[in-house]
Amino acid sequence: MRAIGIVLAGGKRTTLGVLTKQRNVAAMPIGGSYRSIDFALSNLSNSGIKKVAVISQYSARSLADHIGSSKWWDFGRKKTGLFLFTPNMSSQDAFGFRGTADSIFQNIEFLKKSNEPYVVITSGEEIYKIDYEKVIKYHEQKGSDITIICKDMKTYEVQDYGVIGLDENDRMIEFEEKPLDPQYTTVSLGEYVIGRELLIRLLEELEADGRYSIVNDIVMRYRKKLKINGYRYEGYWRRIRDIPEFYHLNMDFLTPEVRGLFFNEYPYISTKAKDEPPAKFNAQSSISNSIISGGDIINGKVESSVLFRRVFIGEGSVVKNSIIMEGATIGKGCIIENAILDKQVFVSDGQKVIGTKDKIILLEKRNIV
């Protein structure tokens, strides 16, 4: 392949509350069996990119455990592979990553030791499916220095995104980071294609000037000096920004369109395999419009919910419009509605955990109710 991949998986996002207390955002559970980073790694691998660096700073243990074996994404090659980079804290003057550009600069040897002409920079927090080979061909056809993958959000509120203005040839003419009064509806997905040698030069210039951000110090600062084009993406896309977004993202997998896109349409999304027994549905169980995973034991009613591995639902319990993560136990006669139960939560017999569509109840990992 003509490109290497870089997955930015910083990991710290306070808007996700206790969900990221001990978990990297890129390791957030998605759709019953996946982690967020599975989508970035699968997109890269399915596009023929077999040398990938994952750059992380916070709560990297959960991420390292998940991607410890690269074989699930077919990165287990002799001269390529999957690499996890974290800040080098061995010297007295060491510091963490000061920005997205700085995180790549601190690992610039990965770029210098590679031979591929292009670099695909992506995020471990985004859920979508794309063929980067098509983006690279577009990048070449346009003669771009940088190609930004973007999406027209139409009527969606875009104040929390980087908003990009494109001319009739899809060349970037303006870029605003989280504008109060956006003039455009097209947002940057934080995904880039750039020449490897150009990226090395830009990172070294930024470091010399004490600049550390891809968006502020490359995209916005060089927007008139470099030819930057937008690649319009029109498919499904969501970013894990906060608890409501995480909830609705998982609920999206209950729709046939989204579930079919990721589960049934080639190329598929890969993940770390776990040897769980099949789900067990006992005689009194009732399931509708839900995702049930390996090792689950269902004795009650589950409706419009996403259950991860090894979840136990007791007799007479009702789980509705909820996300139940790995290893959670729900006793007899419980009602769980509009809720997120993190890993290994225990709900005692007869308890009620009821939220609303506007206020999702969240129970922290290993909580006992």
Side-chain angles (χ1 to χ4, degrees), residues 36-251:
S36 175
I37 197 169
D38 290 333
F39 297 83
L41 296 180
S42 296
N43 285 333
L44 291 165
S45 179
N46 293 337
S47 302
I49 299 171
K50 300 301 181 182
K51 185 177 182 181
V52 175
V54 176
I55 301 178
S56 179
Q57 179 159 221
Y58 300 101
S59 303
R61 176 190 284 182
S62 58
L63 193 60
D65 176 71
H66 184 68
I67 66 174
S69 176
S70 60
K71 66 180 181 180
W72 309 114
W73 303 275
D74 195 26
F75 290 125
R77 306 299 181 92
K78 185 176 181 180
K79 294 185 179 181
T80 57
L82 182 61
F83 307 87
L84 176 62
F85 296 132
T86 56
N88 182 5
M89 308 298 286
S90 60
S91 60
Q92 292 183 350
D93 60 348
F95 41 75
F97 300 140
R98 294 166 290 183
T100 49
D102 184 57
S103 70
I104 302 175
F105 176 80
Q106 288 196 38
N107 298 285
I108 200 167
E109 289 303 312
F110 175 74
L111 297 175
K112 291 184 175 181
K113 290 180 179 179
S114 300
N115 298 312
E116 293 80 355
Y118 299 112
V119 180
V120 174
I121 302 174
T122 182
S123 168
E125 304 175 9
E126 299 181 354
I127 311 303
Y128 77 133
K129 183 185 281 190
I130 193 169
D131 184 352
Y132 290 117
E133 176 63 23
K134 292 182 179 179
V135 184
I136 292 172
K137 288 181 179 178
Y138 173 89
H139 179 86
E140 293 175 330
Q141 290 169 357
K142 290 287 186 178
S144 303
D145 293 308
I146 302 174
T147 295
I148 302 176
I149 301 174
C150 56
K151 181 177 176 63
D152 189 347
M153 305 297 278
K154 303 186 187 314
T155 59
Y156 190 84
E157 298 292 333
V158 298
Q159 288 88 344
D160 291 333
Y161 297 93
V163 179
I164 185 171
L166 302 174
D167 64 15
E168 62 277 8
N169 295 314
D170 287 333
R171 180 165 182 172
M172 190 183 81
I173 55 175
E174 189 58 76
F175 191 99
E176 299 177 282
E177 180 68 1
K178 298 181 180 179
L180 294 175
D181 184 23
Q183 303 301 305
Y184 307 94
T185 58
T186 300
V187 303
S188 165
L189 304 190
E191 314 256 335
Y192 312 94
V193 172
I194 182 172
R196 183 178 59 85
E197 293 183 356
L198 172 61
L199 178 58
I200 291 171
R201 178 170 61 81
L202 290 173
L203 292 174
E204 290 176 338
E205 289 179 5
L206 263 57
E207 175 64 18
D209 291 341
R211 298 177 182 273
Y212 310 112
S213 168
I214 291 177
V215 171
N216 295 328
D217 300 320
I218 294 181
V219 174
M220 297 180 69
R221 189 163 177 251
Y222 284 84
R223 67 187 184 278
K224 294 183 179 179
K225 187 175 182 180
L226 299 176
K227 184 177 182 182
I228 303 176
N229 283 90
Y231 177 91
R232 296 181 183 270
Y233 172 78
E234 298 181 352
Y236 177 90
W237 174 85
R238 271 192 187 268
R239 173 177 289 168
I240 304 174
R241 297 184 302 155
D242 51 31
I243 292 171
E245 188 83 3
F246 172 72
Y247 174 83
H248 291 298
L249 164 59
N250 275 279
M251 291 296 107

Side-chain angles (χ1 to χ4, degrees), residues 353-366:
V353 180
I354 302 176
T356 66
K357 291 183 178 180
D358 297 325
K359 188 175 182 180
I360 305 300
I361 297 293
L362 171 61
L363 297 184
E364 187 176 354
K365 183 178 180 180
R366 297 193 181 95

Side-chain angles (χ1 to χ4, degrees), residues 250-285:
N250 275 279
M251 291 296 107
D252 283 350
F253 276 78
L254 299 180
T255 64
E257 295 80 12
V258 174
R259 191 167 60 248
L261 172 66
F262 294 113
F263 290 180
N264 301 325
E265 292 184 18
Y266 183 84
Y268 308 116
I269 303 300
S270 301
T271 188
K272 177 183 178 181
K274 292 189 177 181
D275 297 326
E276 305 288 358
K280 184 178 181 181
F281 305 95
N282 289 322
Q284 60 271 40
S285 65

